[in-house]
Amino acid sequence: MRCELRTLQLTEPFRIAHGTSTERTVLRLSHDGVIAEAPFVPYYAESPEAALAAVRELRDPFDSLPADTPRAARLAHDVLKHLLLARSAALPLWQHLHFPNPNGRLVVRSLGIPSDLVAFRQRVADTARQFHVLKLKLGSGDVAYDLDIVRVAREAAPDATLIADANGGWSAEQAVDLIPRLAALGLTMIEQPVTHREGLAPWMALKAGLPTPPIPVFADESVQTSDDVPMIAPFIQGISVKLLKCATIGEALTTIRLGRELGKQVLLSCMIESSHGITVAAHLAGLADYIDLDGHLYLANDPGGGITFDADGRLHL
Ligand SMILES: [Mg+2]
């Protein structure tokens, strides 16, 4: 088994409420022609070198890793095992795991917080020609600007479904004020309006101020694994599930199932990562309501392969 760290360059800086990125490191494992990758994200502050050292201890891809191994290493290792088993069975991963067929599902295209609304208007119009669901990153630090972002996007893409992600960039008070105004502008879903860093308190304040939100409210950073779902459930209508958060495909499935049992919508999402990682996540797309898997489109040096999007913004594996 070959283990290496690779650096992926972004085509341009990507800004969200947490900060701006220009490159990403991924851990790549390869064995017998099968490649598995998992990204490191600034948000988790995991050591790529520690992750690499952990997987280098493995003598065989099917050996187990200690539970305290960095999640990128656990994910790359878990994915490698699943891909090897699916290949042995001569089946696509989704079929091997008995997931619904993901082919043909509409995908979401995300747009970072813009620095120039004139250029943004054009970018939204261009993007909407292929993608019919657009996710706007909000939480710019200026609520009037956040409203402008949605207003401009609505004008530039009148037929697109608009959803947004504040990445915890609003106070509960701001969220109570903004969510109805954004809904009136045509937004149809809001992800992580309030911070995950203060436990349930901001969610409780949001629910107290807006007991019946006009659009579904999703939790992303506040739901890392299935353990977090029951506590956050009373405050939200949907959850964002990412393979890296869960660290294994099995845990992602458990999180989705628990969310469904509690009546929640599911957004399947990703980090900025190469198409190797995105393709694996796409095998779960048949389980989700929103498929937010475009992290590879931000890369200047994506290795390609696997997932493609057709002219109508639908995914194919
Ligand atoms: Mg998010």
Side-chain angles (χ1 to χ4, degrees):
M1 187 171 70
R2 189 183 156 119
C3 314
E4 60 188 311
L5 298 174
R6 296 171 76 95
T7 303
L8 307 172
Q9 303 296 332
L10 275 61
T11 50
E12 59 185 281
F14 184 70
R15 182 182 169 210
I16 65 170
H18 296 307
T20 303
S21 299
T22 55
E23 63 174 37
R24 284 293 161 85
T25 301
V26 295
L27 175 65
R28 176 183 282 196
L29 306 184
S30 45
H31 184 73
D32 211 8
V34 172
I35 294 172
E37 274 187 9
F40 297 91
V41 295
Y43 174 72
Y44 290 129
E46 290 187 317
S47 157
E49 291 72 26
L52 182 65
V55 290
R56 282 198 165 143
E57 293 290 313
L58 295 168
R59 289 171 180 274
D60 180 278
F62 291 92
D63 286 350
S64 50
L65 279 173
D68 61 350
T69 305
R71 75 185 71 211
R74 284 188 285 144
L75 177 59
H77 178 237
D78 182 73
V79 165
L80 182 70
K81 290 188 291 182
H82 281 293
L83 290 176
L84 286 167
L85 291 170
R87 194 182 62 174
S88 298
L91 290 171
L93 186 61
W94 63 266
Q95 215 169 353
H96 178 62
L97 296 172
H98 307 287
F99 294 163
N101 189 345
N103 285 294
R105 295 295 311 276
L106 271 184
V107 296
V108 176
R109 186 75 169 96
S110 295
L111 297 147
I113 297 171
S115 53
D116 170 356
L117 289 177
V118 175
F120 179 68
R121 184 184 299 269
Q122 189 59 49
R123 176 174 276 206
V124 170
D126 292 345
T127 306
R129 286 194 198 100
Q130 180 180 8
F131 296 96
H132 308 306
V133 189
L134 304 180
K135 177 159 130 179
L136 311 171
K137 290 289 192 178
L138 304 179
S140 64
D142 174 350
V143 294
Y145 191 66
D146 285 351
L147 283 160
D148 283 341
I149 290 170
V150 177
R151 196 174 289 122
V152 165
R154 180 75 293 165
E155 289 167 9
D159 299 326
T161 296
L162 296 182
I163 65 177
D165 185 357
N167 288 105
W170 299 330
S171 66
E173 202 176 35
Q174 287 172 329
V176 167
D177 172 55
L178 279 172
I179 291 172
R181 296 167 71 187
L182 293 168
L185 290 173
L187 199 73
T188 57
M189 178 272 245
I190 181 70
E191 187 182 332
Q192 195 72 34
V194 293
T195 183
H196 67 288
R197 292 194 182 90
E198 295 162 25
L200 289 180
W203 291 103
M204 293 166 86
L206 173 56
K207 182 152 183 171
L210 202 61
T212 316
I215 53 175
V217 176
F218 278 54
D220 178 3
E221 289 87 340
S222 292
V223 182
Q224 292 292 317
T225 66
S226 59
D227 289 347
D228 301 318
V229 176
M231 266 195 316
I232 195 80
F235 306 101
I236 45 119
Q237 288 72 47
I239 54 171
S240 162
V241 177
K242 299 174 186 169
L243 288 180
L244 186 67
K245 290 198 292 188
C246 296
T248 65
I249 293 173
E251 177 56 25
L253 182 61
T254 301
T255 308
I256 292 170
R257 284 187 174 150
L258 185 54
R260 292 295 190 199
E261 278 170 30
L262 295 170
K264 305 306 170 190
Q265 297 179 51
V266 173
L267 176 136
L268 178 65
S269 192
C270 62
M271 303 297 181
I272 291 180
E273 50 189 305
S274 86
S275 53
H276 288 295
I278 302 291
T279 299
V280 171
H283 285 268
L284 284 76
L287 301 165
D289 300 294
Y290 292 98
I291 298 141
D292 178 19
L293 296 177
D294 63 351
H296 58 308
L297 300 182
Y298 299 94
L299 300 176
N301 56 342
D302 183 49
I307 192 168
T308 56
F309 301 139
D310 66 19
D312 208 23
R314 294 178 187 275
L315 85 83
H316 297 277
L317 291 172

